[in-house]
Amino acid sequence: MGTGGKPADDGVAAANGGVRAGVAIHGTEGCPVVAASTVHDGPITGVNWTHVGDTHTEEFRTRDPDAVDRAEGVPTPTSVVDLGDERVYRYDRPRDGACACRIIEELDCPIADARAEDGVLLLTLHLPDLERLRDIVSALDGTAERVEVRYLVEGSARGDEVSDRTLVDRGRLTDRQCEVLRTAYRMGYFERPRDANASAVADALDISPSTFAEHLATAQRKLLEETLAEN
């Protein structure tokens, strides 16, 4: 219920289902958790933080405590609690204006979930609309090498259904893998019944059927990893 004489805002909120977005931020500089994730086996999870004055205090969970020691550019963390299969660490550092999470929060966008894996910062955001997502991507320009939208789940304004929109990063595919997929699709390899078999597509690509199968399997696996990833 609105207060302070803002019924118009309530009307907009009621008509807008909002967006849940999974964002992958590549090439962030100076993020200790991201640095640790480059040598950690699996994702670093439970990332959260707080600001007091000019100090940024961050906490995270890891299944491989040794990875924290091996990572370069990570402030010396303090072990807060040992959970058996995971350990919780905490560290302090000066507040950094180039911190991707801080940039997003300064746009009045809370971060629902944060983790890091293989040097990539993975964030879950709940936003009022796609325009706010565009604002975030634009604000991160210059701070990160690349911002990738992994998935979108668009809420229904009527509340009776939720549509799931998945954006796939085609940059994960090599030029050859893209060519294999396009050729196979154009020739009807994915039709049922097929308009062209593997040998015919391989001949069109001037490669052996086994090489075609290898390229196709790798490309499909990469696409499925993104479209079927847990949100």
Side-chain angles (χ1 to χ4, degrees), residues 94-121:
R95 293 183 67 172
D96 185 357
C99 174
C101 293
R102 181 179 178 186
I103 289 173
I104 294 173
E105 288 183 329
E106 287 180 347
L107 293 174
D108 291 331
C109 297
I111 296 172
D113 181 70
R115 55 193 174 93
E117 185 171 10
D118 296 331
V120 180
L121 181 62

Side-chain angles (χ1 to χ4, degrees), residues 174-189:
T174 65
D175 291 342
R176 191 55 162 165
Q177 289 163 359
C178 285
E179 182 185 15
V180 166
L181 283 176
R182 289 194 188 100
T183 302
Y185 180 79
R186 186 180 67 250
M187 294 181 66
Y189 177 80

Side-chain angles (χ1 to χ4, degrees), residues 32-33 36 44-52 55-62 65 68-69 74-83 86-94:
V33 175
I44 291 178
T45 60
V47 182
N48 60 86
W49 52 88
T50 185
H51 304 298
V52 178
T55 300
H56 173 97
T57 301
E58 191 151 342
E59 186 176 279
F60 60 93
R61 299 197 308 269
T62 173
V68 178
D69 297 328
V74 180
T76 302
T78 300
S79 177
V80 180
V81 58
D82 191 337
L83 301 176
E86 289 185 321
R87 185 174 297 177
V88 178
Y89 284 95
R90 185 180 298 161
Y91 66 86
D92 296 330
R93 64 183 175 92

Side-chain angles (χ1 to χ4, degrees), residues 1 59 64 67 80 117 121-122 136 145 168 170 184 218:
M1 180 178 295
E59 186 176 279
D64 181 11
V80 180
E117 185 171 10
L121 181 62
L122 303 169
I136 289 172
E145 292 179 2
V168 176
R170 291 188 297 182
T218 301

Side-chain angles (χ1 to χ4, degrees), residues 114-133:
R115 55 193 174 93
E117 185 171 10
D118 296 331
V120 180
L121 181 62
L122 303 169
L123 305 178
T124 299
L125 306 173
H126 296 148
L127 306 169
D129 48 47
L130 290 175
E131 187 61 36
R132 183 56 61 88
L133 180 59

